[in-house]
Amino acid sequence: MPNKEAPLGPLRILLVEDSPVDAELVVDQLLEAGLQIEFERVDNEPAMRDALAGDVPDVVLSDLSMPGFSGYQALQILRELRPRVPFIFVSGTMGEETAVEALQQGANDYIIKHQPARLPSAVARLVRETRSELERLRVEDELMRAQRLESLALLAAGLSHDLRNILQPLLIIPDLIRDRSDDPKIVRLADVIAECGRRGHEMVESMLSFVRGSRQPSERIVLQRLFQAVGMLLKSSLPRNAELHLEVSDDRMAIEANYTELQQVLLNLALNAIQAMPDGGSLSLVAERIAGEEGMVRIRVSDDGVGMDAATVQRLFTPFFTTKTEGTGLGLVSCHRIVESIGGKIQVQSALGEGTTFELLLPMCESAGSEDAEPLERNRVGHGERLLVVDDEATRLSLLGNALSSQGYRMRLASDGAVAMRHLQEAGLPDVVLVDSGIPLLSAGQLLAEMQAMGYRGPAIVLEDANAPAFADGEAPSGISVHVLPKPLEMQRVFRAVADALGVG
């Protein structure tokens, strides 16, 4: 009796046998040993291929010689279609040399028909070994994916600082442009640049949130406006033989989410749909209320392209799985994370040759709220007050200096704590100090403590990175009024912070 270990459960057995009598003897032998089995018998190549196209068997038992078919052919077909399924020859004509050849061809074992006592134990052993190997491979695959995600996290963290610095001018320069031109077209271009800068910073944060699981700030998103923006972005990617259809059943529908992330989801799904229609077709984005589910909205992204088989659909949201030669396998994983992070669900329906539909089921935002953020007060001009700005990022330091000078302030710029101390010794104490939280040589807290020891009692504005708290090495000096300004910086917020600190009106 082979089953003194944990029970195997029901087993699917594929019998490659031309004799119904011999097949019945094999089945009886397995049942008498206490194995639970379901079996299917085939005796030719087409029948075997059809059987392997369905549910995967746990083991294949095959005769060696059959009219018009052979066990070697059966073994070759199995290794082609289901390479990890164990194969056992069960034959009455197998000698020692034939048995050795069978093992060399890839069989896992052989049993002589008139000595079948070893068959149940051989089946049980091979099934257990195969399951153990599959579990080992699964664990290794999960470990490999975890290591790749960890590497991605390190890469994202390393890139984020440089990307923020590169994008920062897009938030500072527009205010300089507005202050130097009354041309409506120039002002509009400045607004576009500022919006690109904000969205770029949000995309950097979205990349970081993918690897660390954090949430991005939410806002009320009117779906009608979101669809219009997505439609404009897709125009350049839409082939001439493809049509785009956008439909929002109620232009008042809105949801609470991060705009950049949700736009990223729709663009990702839409671009995938375009690539799935190499011969052209129709792409549609539809938003509608879900009947019978109060407070829920359904967004459908549908195409009539090549479609996907069931196996591909099942793995769509697996990290690093992709059907594209140049794909990363992270796009749909990111979409899945974003949708679930706002309390929604993402579903997919697809079939080969029949197109694909992704459905996003999202909670609706019922409160009317304010659709547009209140504009920041602008043009609070200084009167020659002295400002010390300390920042090790040269581009941002220069832009801050130019922008604040244009507001009527006198500037001292320093790239680190040591340069700042030299300015203080040479020119005296400022009226306000702006200091980046990540400056080298002296931290922001240490610099403020040194300034306090020199008699400084004015306000301080600390530019803080979300990943680098302003006073990680201790508390701010108690005698200095500190205002923390989060990065990325928008100049109107910087102007307001400086004016409020000085009491300029």
Side-chain angles (χ1 to χ4, degrees):
M1 301 288 289
N3 277 353
K4 291 186 179 180
E5 300 182 61
L8 294 169
L11 301 180
R12 293 185 56 82
I13 307 291
L14 179 61
L15 285 172
V16 186
E17 174 62 70
D18 64 317
S19 170
V21 175
D22 287 354
E24 185 176 351
L25 291 174
V26 168
V27 171
D28 289 343
Q29 184 74 20
L30 297 174
L31 292 173
E32 288 175 6
L35 296 177
Q36 303 176 53
I37 64 169
E38 300 175 6
F39 78 96
E40 180 179 0
R41 185 177 70 86
V42 298
D43 61 3
N44 57 71
E45 179 175 345
M48 184 173 181
R49 288 186 177 275
D50 288 343
L52 292 175
D55 293 332
V56 182
D58 292 288
V59 65
V60 173
L61 309 178
S62 176
D63 196 359
L64 181 61
S65 299
M66 292 163 283
F69 197 43
S70 75
Y72 291 120
Q73 289 176 288
L75 176 59
Q76 183 177 3
I77 293 170
L78 181 68
R79 292 294 172 254
E80 172 192 340
L81 300 178
R82 305 289 185 182
R84 299 195 182 280
V85 174
F87 185 98
I88 301 176
F89 274 116
V90 183
S91 175
T93 60
M94 183 169 284
E96 183 175 340
E97 291 184 2
T98 308
V100 171
E101 182 183 356
L103 295 176
Q104 291 174 341
Q105 293 287 333
N108 299 91
D109 207 342
Y110 63 92
I111 303 294
I112 307 302
K113 280 186 177 180
H114 57 269
Q115 297 177 352
R118 197 169 61 85
L119 178 60
S121 62
V123 168
R125 173 179 58 81
L126 287 173
V127 169
R128 285 195 173 93
E129 289 177 355
T130 301
R131 289 178 179 177
S132 176
E133 176 67 9
L134 290 174
E135 177 63 16
R136 182 186 66 80
L137 292 173
R138 185 192 68 79
V139 171
E140 287 182 355
D141 186 54
E142 290 294 330
L143 178 61
M144 182 66 69
R145 276 187 285 188
Q147 290 173 340
R148 293 173 72 182
L149 283 172
E150 183 180 358
S151 298
L152 183 63
L154 293 174
L155 177 63
L159 286 173
S160 63
H161 176 75
D162 292 335
L163 288 174
R164 285 195 187 97
N165 289 339
I166 292 170
L167 292 168
Q168 181 68 81
L170 297 183
L171 297 181
I172 297 177
I173 288 176
D175 284 296
L176 300 179
I177 295 174
R178 295 187 192 102
D179 289 339
R180 286 164 171 76
S181 176
D182 295 326
D183 188 332
K185 293 182 179 180
I186 299 298
V187 172
R188 175 57 183 160
L189 287 175
D191 293 337
V192 171
I193 293 171
E195 179 66 12
C196 290
R198 282 192 291 271
R199 297 307 180 192
H201 278 280
E202 288 182 6
M203 290 182 71
V204 172
E205 289 302 317
S206 179
M207 176 179 67
L208 287 172
S209 72
F210 173 78
V211 294
R212 69 183 180 221
S214 64
R215 283 290 311 276
Q216 293 300 301
S218 295
E219 57 190 289
R220 184 173 182 270
I221 302 172
V222 179
L223 293 182
Q224 180 72 38
R225 295 183 180 180
L226 175 64
F227 271 41
Q228 290 173 351
V230 170
M232 291 183 63
L233 292 171
L234 287 175
K235 282 184 178 179
S236 61
S237 302
L238 200 67
R240 292 183 179 180
N241 57 357
E243 297 179 353
L244 175 62
H245 171 67
L246 302 174
E247 178 183 341
V248 179
S249 62
D250 184 347
D251 59 11
R252 296 168 298 177
M253 285 193 302
I255 62 174
E256 189 79 16
N258 179 268
Y259 184 95
T260 299
E261 287 193 335
L262 190 58
Q263 179 177 271
Q264 172 191 336
V265 170
L266 296 183
L267 286 175
N268 194 312
L269 297 179
L271 291 173
N272 284 348
I274 291 172
Q275 292 176 4
M277 300 187 296
D279 299 324
S282 176
L283 166 63
S284 65
L285 278 72
V286 179
E288 58 191 2
R289 296 177 185 269
I290 302 178
E293 293 191 39
E294 192 67 26
M296 295 294 290
V297 62
R298 177 192 291 113
I299 298 178
R300 289 186 286 111
V301 181
S302 305
D303 67 74
D304 51 10
V306 296
M308 298 174 286
D309 58 26
T312 301
V313 170
Q314 189 174 7
R315 299 187 63 191
L316 277 182
F317 302 110
T318 301
F320 305 110
F321 171 75
T322 180
T323 58
K324 304 175 185 177
T325 56
E326 298 181 357
T328 64
L330 292 174
L332 289 177
V333 177
S334 181
C335 292
H336 189 269
R337 177 196 60 78
I338 291 169
V339 170
E340 287 198 336
S341 72
I342 58 177
K345 296 180 181 178
I346 184 168
Q347 302 172 347
V348 58
Q349 298 176 348
S350 186
L352 287 174
E354 298 180 11
T356 299
T357 296
F358 282 88
E359 288 190 350
L360 312 182
L361 310 179
L362 305 172
M364 217 158 28
C365 177
E366 295 295 345
S367 60
S370 173
E371 293 187 6
D372 299 306
E374 181 182 349
L376 295 170
E377 187 177 351
R378 301 184 60 191
N379 298 326
R380 300 189 70 172
V381 181
H383 304 283
E385 292 87 352
R386 295 166 300 167
L387 271 61
L388 172 63
V389 180
V390 189
D391 195 327
D392 65 319
E393 210 292 304
T395 302
R396 185 169 56 232
L397 180 64
S398 175
L399 290 170
L400 281 171
N402 288 332
L404 290 166
S405 291
S406 71
Q407 299 297 299
Y409 301 113
R410 289 184 292 163
M411 305 303 303
R412 286 280 183 171
L413 306 180
S415 58
D416 57 46
V419 175
M421 290 299 297
R422 187 167 67 248
H423 282 319
L424 294 171
Q425 293 165 355
E426 294 174 354
L429 297 174
D431 295 303
V432 176
V433 58
L434 283 80
V435 56
D436 185 72
S437 62
I439 60 170
L441 300 184
L442 286 177
S443 69
Q446 291 170 334
L447 176 61
L448 294 180
E450 291 293 333
M451 291 178 65
Q452 185 182 39
M454 297 172 66
Y456 182 70
R457 298 295 183 267
I461 300 172
V462 178
L463 314 179
E464 183 181 67
D465 194 305
N467 299 319
F471 301 104
D473 57 348
E475 295 183 358
S478 58
I480 295 179
S481 174
V482 174
H483 174 73
V484 175
L485 197 61
K487 293 187 290 187
L489 302 177
E490 295 183 37
M491 280 314 304
Q492 291 304 315
R493 295 187 184 276
V494 175
F495 293 159
R496 173 181 288 178
V498 172
D500 288 346
L502 289 169
V504 177

